[in-house]
Amino acid sequence: MELVHTIAEVRRAVADARTAGKNIGLVPTMGALHAGHASLVDAARKRCGFVVVSVFVNPTQFGPNEDLAKYPRTLEDDCYLCLQHQADLVFAPSADEMYPPGGNLTEVTIKKLGDGLCGASRPGHFTGVCTVVSKLFNIAQPDQAFFGAKDFQQATIIRQMAADLDFPLEIVICPIVREAEGLAMSSRNRNLSPEHRRQAVALSASLSAARREIESGKTQAGAVQAAIRQYIATHAPAGQIDYVEVVDARSLTPVETIAGEVLIALAVKFGGTRLIDNMVVDSAAGPS
Ligand code: AMP
């Protein structure tokens, strides 16, 4: 496995892999890698002859009052995880490599899909994501790119963007990897205090409870949201709810009456650490 820091080095490595007849898989990340990221690398390894993992804490997707400065940076450990999961190339560029001073006048913005959920509380976030992912697609030119359902809105947006802009690649969306108690794995979990970490388990537990209610026939989205809020208030009193939403799983628009596949999504802050989680629920599935 090779670690490189420049776009030119990625282009060279990818060109060599193509010459050797390999197809290219890309796993974009912000580092501080964990088993959730590893599952994406494994999925890429299974399908692709040459696996590129990018590690870049993209400044343009953070708002002015967000946690860019304290986002964990652990490149050495990240390389070790990538090596263990048999990635071929780690691309860890500097901010200047990705956004040369004086450049960076172009942005990629998506309509509608980025308006709600995280987009509503993080203005400009998805423009930062779409722009950096477009750049990574053009740099690595993958045949397949791998994203996690943990960031369901992001994955939906990237899939739409890739289709709209005719990127010649397939977007593969992989399931959420959770801790044994249900907490969705996240690089930000390591910024939680032990007490907040304990309370944060309530997020996935509240979603599981909501799923059971929907599968048992509850159809009023408002009642489902209220039950989730109540659950979090009781079991995670330190959590400040940013949003709890029930939306159509494709259009991401809010629903009032639950029918078919819906996404239940939430964001909750513990101190300065904002966590997100979601579940897709098929109301037609019946009790599980
Ligand atoms: P991040 O480093 O947080 O930007 O995440 C990089 C990629 O890993 C994104 O596609 C995420 O959705 C995905 N990811 C992060 N956490 C998880 C998880 N717990 N399970 C599955 N995928 C994840």
Side-chain angles (χ1 to χ4, degrees), residues 28-30 34 36-37 40 71 147-148 150-151 175-177 185:
T29 81
M30 297 207 300
H34 49 65
H37 298 110
L40 304 187
Y71 199 86
F147 294 85
K150 154 89 181 349
D151 300 87
I176 302 177
V177 177
M185 288 193 183

Side-chain angles (χ1 to χ4, degrees), residues 81-100:
L81 180 141
C82 289
L83 185 65
Q84 279 182 315
H85 290 267
Q86 293 164 31
D88 296 294
L89 187 74
V90 174
F91 173 45
S94 65
D96 278 0
E97 178 71 6
M98 291 297 279
Y99 303 110

Side-chain angles (χ1 to χ4, degrees), residues 192-266:
L192 294 170
S193 69
E195 176 56 18
H196 288 170
R197 168 76 177 66
R198 195 186 63 72
Q199 293 191 19
V201 173
L203 307 193
S204 57
S206 72
L207 291 172
S208 298
R211 177 167 60 191
R212 284 193 296 275
E213 288 189 346
I214 293 171
E215 288 175 349
S216 304
K218 197 173 220 172
T219 56
Q220 290 311 304
V224 170
Q225 284 165 261
I228 292 173
R229 285 179 174 274
Q230 184 57 53
Y231 190 101
I232 293 171
T234 307
H235 294 90
Q240 280 179 293
I241 295 176
D242 178 358
Y243 67 77
V244 175
E245 298 266 8
V246 182
V247 298
D248 180 87
R250 293 197 151 268
S251 66
L252 305 185
T253 50
V255 300
E256 275 181 26
T257 305
I258 295 169
E261 235 179 29
V262 292
L263 174 79
I264 325 171
L266 51 76

Side-chain angles (χ1 to χ4, degrees), residues 80-162:
Y80 185 63
L81 180 141
C82 289
L83 185 65
Q84 279 182 315
H85 290 267
Q86 293 164 31
D88 296 294
L89 187 74
V90 174
F91 173 45
S94 65
D96 278 0
E97 178 71 6
M98 291 297 279
Y99 303 110
N104 191 25
L105 303 179
T106 308
E107 288 179 333
V108 180
T109 297
I110 191 154
K111 294 177 191 160
K112 290 187 181 163
L113 285 175
D115 291 348
L117 304 174
C118 288
S121 41
R122 303 186 71 186
H125 170 67
F126 287 116
T127 294
V129 170
C130 286
T131 303
V132 79
V133 171
S134 298
K135 286 168 70 70
L136 291 168
F137 285 174
N138 284 327
I139 292 165
Q141 305 196 359
D143 299 285
Q144 295 180 319
F146 297 80
F147 294 85
K150 154 89 181 349
D151 300 87
F152 192 95
Q153 185 178 22
Q154 170 177 281
T156 303
I157 284 172
I158 298 296
R159 199 173 44 196
Q160 183 74 38
M161 178 193 81

Side-chain angles (χ1 to χ4, degrees), residues 10-25:
V10 179
R11 291 202 192 286
R12 242 189 328 266
V14 165
D16 288 349
R18 282 227 183 274
T19 306
K22 295 175 178 169
N23 62 336
I24 312 297

